[in-house]
Amino acid sequence: LPRWRELLARRGQRQMIMLGYSDSSKDGGITASRWALFDAQRAMVGALQEQGIEPLFFHGRGGTIGRGGGKVHRAILASAPGSMLGKLRLTEQGEMIHRNYALSAIALRHLERMSAASLRASAEASVNARVAEQSAVLMSQIAARSREVYRSLVFAEGFYDYFREATPIDVIERLRIGSRPASRKAQRGIQDLRAIPWVFGWGQSRHGLPGWFGLGSALEGRMQEGAEAELRSLCRWPFFANLLSDVEMALAKSDMEIAEHYAALAGALGQRFFPAIRAEFERTRRSVCLLLQQEHLLEREPALKRTITLRSPYIDPMTYTQLALLPRWRAGARQDEALERVLVATVQGIARGLRNTG
């Protein structure tokens, strides 16, 4: 387009491209989402460079693993080759602003780590490009299988009803947060539900499903086919190492014992869906630990493990209060304002403790 070419010339031949993480993760699972974004950036870098145009990617990351969150410096080092070029633009949302910038010393450290990671990723682009090229086929296979497993559960008939019963989504919808309604359309469904309440609900019920579901089956399947050594070598690739690290954190924040209590709120739907969720959780936990050569989650990150452990005595009482009051509130057609105030307080408290509102 001649007019756009003129505009690009005025911008120094630089084109900004916005990348969204949330809906792709909700629709296909974290593994397929991360790989699709990585692969798309590789393709766009190549196409734009042929035209003498420099891309500037704007990462629309959320605060949680299921919405592109995680440790930002690791994500930068895991970025697609040629996508950095010494420049970085990303969103800082919700509770992440307070966590990263509320204190000047923490803000300075956060910015220093992002700057250092950006410079390193830019300098190592050619090396990462060769590794990405070598690993693309295997990663595509893992992503495709994880997406298949994820969608077979999430888009199964009745699963949206399970989500509505086994999470406090009906409380979350009444919170005065965000600028948009929880669903895009009045009829509602997983396709129309926005990613923030989707991730928020699963976090509250301790399923943590958007941060890990599907990867376990993909990894286990490849290992059963004799690709364990190939997968271990893949762990040296920053993209895959960052994916495993983020999934490991999501698994550590999930709790299948507590999630089972939430599943019981859904009655027959819980009996139908929860065994598959628990089985995939165990597959994912087992596969991640095997590839990282450790027996338990977060063995290599004792500080994070200790932080999660120390929070549990404060979070769990609020969780069980929520579990006790949700059926009573729903039985009263959600009209009891006193119960609603307590439920809202539990949602806020659990979110503050887990640090993953979305």
Side-chain angles (χ1 to χ4, degrees):
L1 297 173
R3 183 61 58 85
W4 198 260
R5 282 285 189 178
E6 181 183 338
L7 181 61
L8 285 171
R10 294 179 183 179
R11 293 177 173 175
Q13 300 298 339
R14 183 182 300 159
Q15 173 65 56
M16 185 181 295
I17 302 167
M18 182 78 177
L19 299 171
Y21 290 73
S22 302
D23 284 314
S24 61
S25 182
K26 178 172 71 74
D27 293 342
I30 182 173
T31 307
S33 169
R34 294 279 182 94
W35 175 243
L37 285 160
F38 184 95
D39 206 31
Q41 288 174 77
R42 285 200 308 159
M44 285 187 281
V45 166
L48 291 172
Q49 285 180 343
E50 288 178 3
Q51 300 294 323
I53 299 170
E54 177 186 331
L56 174 58
F57 290 104
F58 182 2
H59 299 264
R61 295 160 53 91
T64 60
I65 303 300
R67 294 189 56 239
K71 296 184 177 179
V72 179
H73 65 285
R74 286 186 179 176
I76 294 170
L77 293 173
S79 59
S83 65
M84 293 296 303
L85 302 175
K87 300 177 180 67
L88 172 68
R89 181 164 179 164
L90 51 80
T91 52
E92 294 275 33
Q93 299 183 15
E95 77 276 14
M96 304 307 296
I97 296 173
H98 181 271
R99 187 193 308 181
N100 293 331
Y101 302 101
L103 299 176
S104 59
I106 292 176
L108 179 61
R109 179 173 177 269
H110 181 65
L111 291 170
E112 284 178 340
R113 297 187 78 185
M114 286 200 296
S115 300
S118 300
L119 291 170
R120 182 177 169 186
S122 301
E124 297 177 352
S126 59
V127 175
N128 289 334
R130 289 195 298 271
V131 177
E133 195 65 35
Q134 296 166 359
S135 307
V137 173
L138 178 57
M139 193 62 231
S140 295
Q141 294 169 346
I142 293 170
R145 176 56 180 159
S146 70
R147 183 179 186 273
E148 178 186 344
V149 172
Y150 177 89
R151 289 181 65 87
S152 69
L153 173 79
V154 170
F155 290 94
E157 184 178 354
F159 190 76
Y160 179 68
D161 294 326
Y162 173 74
F163 170 70
R164 302 247 5 138
E165 294 296 324
T167 75
I169 182 62
D170 42 354
V171 181
I172 293 169
E173 288 170 337
R174 299 190 179 207
L175 296 177
R176 295 184 179 91
I177 58 173
S179 58
R180 295 171 291 180
S183 297
R184 292 180 174 86
K185 298 179 182 179
Q187 65 264 33
R188 297 187 298 181
I190 289 174
Q191 295 92 332
D192 301 322
L193 186 71
R194 295 190 186 278
I196 290 178
W198 170 255
V199 174
F200 200 167
W202 290 121
Q204 287 280 312
S205 66
R206 306 296 286 278
H207 286 69
L209 187 145
W212 53 265
F213 197 91
L215 179 59
S217 289
L219 293 178
E220 187 175 83
R222 294 299 299 169
M223 284 189 278
Q224 289 174 349
E225 294 168 2
E228 184 175 335
E230 196 175 358
L231 288 171
R232 286 193 190 280
S233 67
L234 207 62
C235 292
R236 295 192 290 270
W237 179 27
F239 170 81
F240 191 69
N242 181 60
L243 174 64
L244 287 186
S245 176
D246 284 346
V247 168
E248 183 185 21
M249 186 192 303
L251 290 168
K253 286 190 172 185
S254 303
D255 188 320
M256 289 300 104
E257 300 305 317
I258 290 177
E260 187 172 13
H261 290 293
Y262 279 93
L265 299 177
L269 288 172
Q271 296 172 13
R272 174 185 167 193
F273 289 115
F274 187 72
I277 294 171
R278 182 191 282 274
E280 182 65 13
F281 176 89
E282 290 301 327
R283 268 191 295 270
T284 309
R285 182 196 59 77
R286 191 166 55 245
S287 298
V288 168
C289 287
L290 184 62
L291 290 180
L292 295 178
Q293 296 181 293
Q294 58 192 37
E295 292 186 14
H296 307 288
L297 295 170
L298 299 179
E299 279 187 18
R300 301 183 185 187
E301 299 194 59
L304 176 58
K305 184 176 182 178
R306 185 168 182 270
T307 299
I308 294 173
T309 302
L310 288 174
R311 289 186 198 139
S312 294
Y314 301 94
I315 300 171
D316 291 353
M318 292 184 285
T319 297
Y320 288 109
T321 300
Q322 188 181 101
L323 279 164
L325 296 184
L326 265 175
R328 289 172 53 188
W329 182 61
R330 290 169 175 172
R334 302 174 175 83
Q335 298 298 313
D336 191 319
E337 294 183 2
L339 284 179
E340 184 176 327
R341 283 195 297 271
V342 177
L343 284 168
V344 167
T346 64
V347 167
Q348 293 172 335
I350 295 167
R352 180 67 63 88
L354 292 176
R355 292 186 173 185
N356 65 342
T357 61

